[in-house]
Amino acid sequence: MLEILIKSIKDIFDKKILFTSLVPIIVAAIFWGIVFFVFHSQINDFFVYLISHIPFISDSNWIKNIIEVIGGIFIYYQLLIITSTLIVGVIADKIVDRINEKYYHLKKQGFGSFIGSIGITLKYNLIFIILFIILLPTMFIPGVNIIVNIMLWAILIKNPIFYDSIAMYASKEEYQILKNDKKTTTFIIAFLSALLFLVPILGVFVYIAQLLLFTHYNLKRLKELRGE
């Protein structure tokens, strides 16, 4: 696992991977920056409405102002991550191909497809959004908000990133074997990597790091499964 982690960190700075990684982040940042600029009043009204329902805070103007600012940044950050994961899901095959080219040299026998990647990514993004809206009030409770965020991010990334990292190379049978084997290890990787989303700014790059980590993890196991 240490070897995989070291390789993943090094590969973040691979020129091809770095360029491919920056595209979704820049696109997402610009898009949501424009949205927040254009709909600033509506977003602010939304936070005012939420804050008015929080006990002991609704009567304090200075606390309300602080929460409005922090809440706006927080929502922007969440949307930036969600959008980045969607876009990265589209171009993930290029990153996986680069890793295979450098290290594993496996033949593509995958059942995966562009539609399949988009489908599973949209599914878990939808689950993430629904849960986020339901649990939004907890985001203002110190300590609880951290636990909730980690849980949500782990849900967001685990299955889509597993699919993106291996489905283009593994057959359907191989994919199921890899998915059902070492489930605990897979969950631990997803959970621990989700912790990185808590680091401001770094969080938008985490999905790339996670994709690299899962790609090394799965391609190595696929190579062993094939006996190559």
Side-chain angles (χ1 to χ4, degrees), residues 50-51 53-55 57 67 74-75 78 128 130-152:
L50 284 179
I51 294 168
H53 289 77
I54 300 176
I57 292 180
I67 291 179
F74 178 73
I75 295 297
Q78 295 279 21
F128 176 91
I130 292 171
L131 289 175
F132 179 78
I133 292 172
I134 293 172
L135 298 170
L136 188 57
T138 67
M139 300 300 172
F140 299 100
I141 305 173
V144 175
N145 54 359
I146 294 176
I147 297 172
V148 171
N149 268 294
I150 295 172
M151 180 192 73
L152 290 175

Coordinates of all heavy atoms in Angstrom, one line a residue, residues 50-51 53-55 57 67 74-75 78 128 130-152:
L50 N -32.4 29.9 6.2 CA -31.9 28.8 7.0 C -31.5 29.3 8.4 O -31.9 28.6 9.4 CB -30.7 28.2 6.3 CG -30.9 27.3 5.1 CD1 -29.6 26.8 4.5 CD2 -31.8 26.1 5.4
I51 N -30.8 30.4 8.5 CA -30.3 30.9 9.8 C -31.5 31.2 10.7 O -31.4 31.1 11.9 CB -29.4 32.1 9.6 CG1 -28.1 31.6 8.8 CG2 -29.0 32.7 10.9 CD1 -27.3 32.8 8.3
H53 N -34.0 29.7 11.2 CA -34.6 28.5 11.8 C -33.6 27.9 12.8 O -33.9 26.8 13.3 CB -35.0 27.5 10.8 CG -36.3 28.0 10.0 ND1 -36.2 28.9 9.0 CD2 -37.6 27.6 10.1 CE1 -37.4 29.1 8.5 NE2 -38.3 28.4 9.2
I54 N -32.5 28.5 13.0 CA -31.5 27.9 13.9 C -31.6 28.6 15.3 O -31.5 29.8 15.4 CB -30.0 28.1 13.4 CG1 -29.9 27.5 12.1 CG2 -29.0 27.5 14.4 CD1 -28.5 27.7 11.4
P55 N -31.9 27.8 16.3 CA -32.2 28.3 17.7 C -30.9 29.1 18.2 O -29.8 28.8 17.9 CB -32.4 27.1 18.6 CG -32.8 26.1 17.6 CD -32.1 26.3 16.3
I57 N -29.4 31.6 17.3 CA -28.6 32.3 16.3 C -29.4 33.4 15.6 O -28.9 34.5 15.2 CB -27.9 31.4 15.3 CG1 -26.9 30.5 16.1 CG2 -27.3 32.1 14.2 CD1 -26.2 29.5 15.2
I67 N -22.1 33.5 9.5 CA -22.6 32.3 9.0 C -22.9 32.4 7.5 O -22.7 31.5 6.7 CB -23.8 31.7 9.7 CG1 -23.4 31.3 11.1 CG2 -24.5 30.6 9.0 CD1 -24.5 30.8 12.0
F74 N -18.7 27.7 1.9 CA -18.9 26.2 2.0 C -19.7 25.6 0.9 O -19.3 24.6 0.3 CB -19.6 26.0 3.4 CG -19.8 24.5 3.6 CD1 -18.8 23.7 4.0 CD2 -21.1 24.0 3.5 CE1 -19.0 22.3 4.2 CE2 -21.3 22.7 3.8 CZ -20.3 21.8 4.1
I75 N -20.8 26.3 0.5 CA -21.7 25.8 -0.5 C -20.9 25.8 -1.9 O -21.0 24.9 -2.7 CB -23.0 26.6 -0.6 CG1 -23.8 26.4 0.6 CG2 -23.8 26.1 -1.9 CD1 -24.3 25.0 0.9
Q78 N -18.5 22.9 -1.9 CA -19.2 21.7 -2.2 C -19.6 21.5 -3.6 O -19.4 20.4 -4.2 CB -20.5 21.6 -1.3 CG -20.2 21.6 0.2 CD -19.9 20.2 0.7 OE1 -19.4 19.3 -0.1 NE2 -20.1 19.9 2.0
F128 N -25.8 12.1 -3.1 CA -25.0 13.0 -2.3 C -25.8 14.3 -2.1 O -25.9 14.8 -0.9 CB -23.7 13.4 -3.0 CG -22.9 14.4 -2.3 CD1 -21.9 14.1 -1.3 CD2 -23.0 15.8 -2.6 CE1 -21.1 15.1 -0.7 CE2 -22.3 16.8 -2.0 CZ -21.3 16.4 -1.0
I130 N -29.1 14.8 -2.3 CA -30.3 14.6 -1.5 C -30.0 14.5 0.0 O -30.6 15.2 0.8 CB -31.0 13.3 -2.0 CG1 -31.6 13.5 -3.4 CG2 -32.1 13.0 -1.0 CD1 -32.2 12.2 -4.0
L131 N -28.9 13.8 0.3 CA -28.5 13.6 1.7 C -28.0 15.0 2.2 O -28.2 15.3 3.4 CB -27.4 12.5 1.8 CG -27.9 11.1 1.6 CD1 -26.7 10.1 1.6 CD2 -28.9 10.7 2.7
F132 N -27.2 15.7 1.3 CA -26.7 17.0 1.8 C -27.8 18.0 2.1 O -27.7 18.7 3.1 CB -25.8 17.6 0.6 CG -25.2 18.9 1.0 CD1 -24.1 19.0 1.8 CD2 -25.8 20.1 0.5 CE1 -23.6 20.3 2.1 CE2 -25.3 21.3 0.8 CZ -24.2 21.4 1.6
I133 N -28.9 18.0 1.3 CA -30.0 18.9 1.6 C -30.7 18.5 2.9 O -31.0 19.3 3.7 CB -31.0 18.9 0.4 CG1 -30.4 19.5 -0.8 CG2 -32.3 19.6 0.8 CD1 -31.2 19.4 -2.1
I134 N -30.9 17.2 3.1 CA -31.6 16.7 4.3 C -30.7 17.0 5.5 O -31.3 17.4 6.6 CB -31.8 15.2 4.2 CG1 -32.8 14.8 3.1 CG2 -32.3 14.6 5.5 CD1 -32.9 13.4 2.8
L135 N -29.4 16.9 5.4 CA -28.5 17.0 6.5 C -27.9 18.4 6.7 O -27.1 18.7 7.5 CB -27.4 16.0 6.5 CG -27.8 14.5 6.5 CD1 -26.6 13.6 6.2 CD2 -28.4 14.2 7.9
L136 N -28.4 19.4 5.8 CA -27.8 20.7 5.8 C -27.8 21.4 7.1 O -26.8 22.0 7.5 CB -28.6 21.6 4.7 CG -28.0 23.0 4.5 CD1 -26.5 22.9 4.0 CD2 -28.8 23.7 3.4
P137 N -28.9 21.3 7.9 CA -28.9 21.9 9.3 C -27.7 21.5 10.2 O -27.2 22.2 11.0 CB -30.2 21.5 9.9 CG -31.1 21.3 8.7 CD -30.2 20.7 7.6
T138 N -27.3 20.2 10.0 CA -26.2 19.7 10.8 C -24.8 20.3 10.4 O -23.9 20.2 11.2 CB -26.0 18.2 10.7 OG1 -25.6 17.8 9.3 CG2 -27.4 17.5 10.9
M139 N -24.8 21.0 9.3 CA -23.5 21.6 8.8 C -23.1 22.8 9.7 O -22.0 23.3 9.7 CB -23.6 22.1 7.4 CG -23.9 21.0 6.4 SD -22.6 19.7 6.4 CE -23.3 18.5 5.4
F140 N -24.1 23.3 10.5 CA -23.8 24.4 11.4 C -23.5 24.0 12.8 O -23.4 24.8 13.7 CB -25.1 25.4 11.4 CG -25.3 25.9 10.0 CD1 -26.3 25.4 9.2 CD2 -24.6 27.0 9.5 CE1 -26.6 25.9 8.0 CE2 -24.9 27.5 8.2 CZ -25.9 27.0 7.5
I141 N -23.4 22.7 13.0 CA -23.1 22.2 14.4 C -21.7 21.7 14.4 O -21.3 20.7 13.7 CB -24.1 21.0 14.7 CG1 -25.5 21.4 14.6 CG2 -23.8 20.5 16.1 CD1 -26.5 20.2 14.8
P142 N -20.8 22.4 15.1 CA -19.4 22.0 15.2 C -19.2 20.6 15.6 O -19.8 20.1 16.5 CB -18.8 23.0 16.3 CG -19.8 24.1 16.3 CD -21.1 23.6 16.0
G143 N -18.3 19.9 14.9 CA -18.0 18.5 15.2 C -18.9 17.6 14.4 O -18.4 16.7 13.6
V144 N -20.2 17.8 14.5 CA -21.1 16.9 13.8 C -20.9 17.2 12.3 O -21.0 16.2 11.5 CB -22.6 17.3 14.2 CG1 -23.6 16.5 13.3 CG2 -22.8 16.9 15.6
N145 N -20.7 18.4 11.9 CA -20.6 18.8 10.5 C -19.4 18.1 9.8 O -19.4 17.7 8.7 CB -20.5 20.3 10.2 CG -19.4 20.9 11.1 OD1 -18.6 20.3 11.8 ND2 -19.2 22.2 10.9
I146 N -18.3 17.9 10.6 CA -17.1 17.2 10.1 C -17.5 15.7 9.8 O -17.1 15.2 8.7 CB -15.9 17.2 11.1 CG1 -15.5 18.7 11.2 CG2 -14.8 16.4 10.6 CD1 -14.4 18.9 12.2
I147 N -18.1 15.0 10.7 CA -18.5 13.6 10.6 C -19.4 13.5 9.4 O -19.3 12.6 8.6 CB -19.1 13.1 11.9 CG1 -18.1 13.1 13.0 CG2 -19.6 11.7 11.6 CD1 -18.7 12.8 14.4
V148 N -20.4 14.3 9.3 CA -21.4 14.3 8.2 C -20.7 14.5 6.8 O -21.0 13.8 5.9 CB -22.5 15.3 8.4 CG1 -23.4 15.4 7.2 CG2 -23.3 15.0 9.6
N149 N -19.8 15.4 6.8 CA -19.1 15.7 5.5 C -18.3 14.5 5.1 O -18.3 14.2 3.9 CB -18.2 16.9 5.7 CG -18.9 18.2 5.3 OD1 -19.3 18.4 4.1 ND2 -19.2 19.1 6.2
I150 N -17.5 13.9 6.0 CA -16.7 12.8 5.6 C -17.6 11.6 5.1 O -17.3 11.0 4.1 CB -15.9 12.3 6.8 CG1 -14.9 13.4 7.2 CG2 -15.2 11.0 6.5 CD1 -14.2 13.1 8.5
M151 N -18.7 11.4 5.8 CA -19.7 10.3 5.4 C -20.2 10.6 4.0 O -20.2 9.7 3.1 CB -20.8 10.3 6.4 CG -21.8 9.2 6.0 SD -23.4 9.3 7.0 CE -24.1 10.8 6.2
L152 N -20.6 11.9 3.7 CA -21.1 12.2 2.4 C -20.1 12.1 1.3 O -20.4 11.6 0.2 CB -21.7 13.7 2.5 CG -23.0 13.9 3.3 CD1 -23.3 15.4 3.3 CD2 -24.1 13.1 2.7

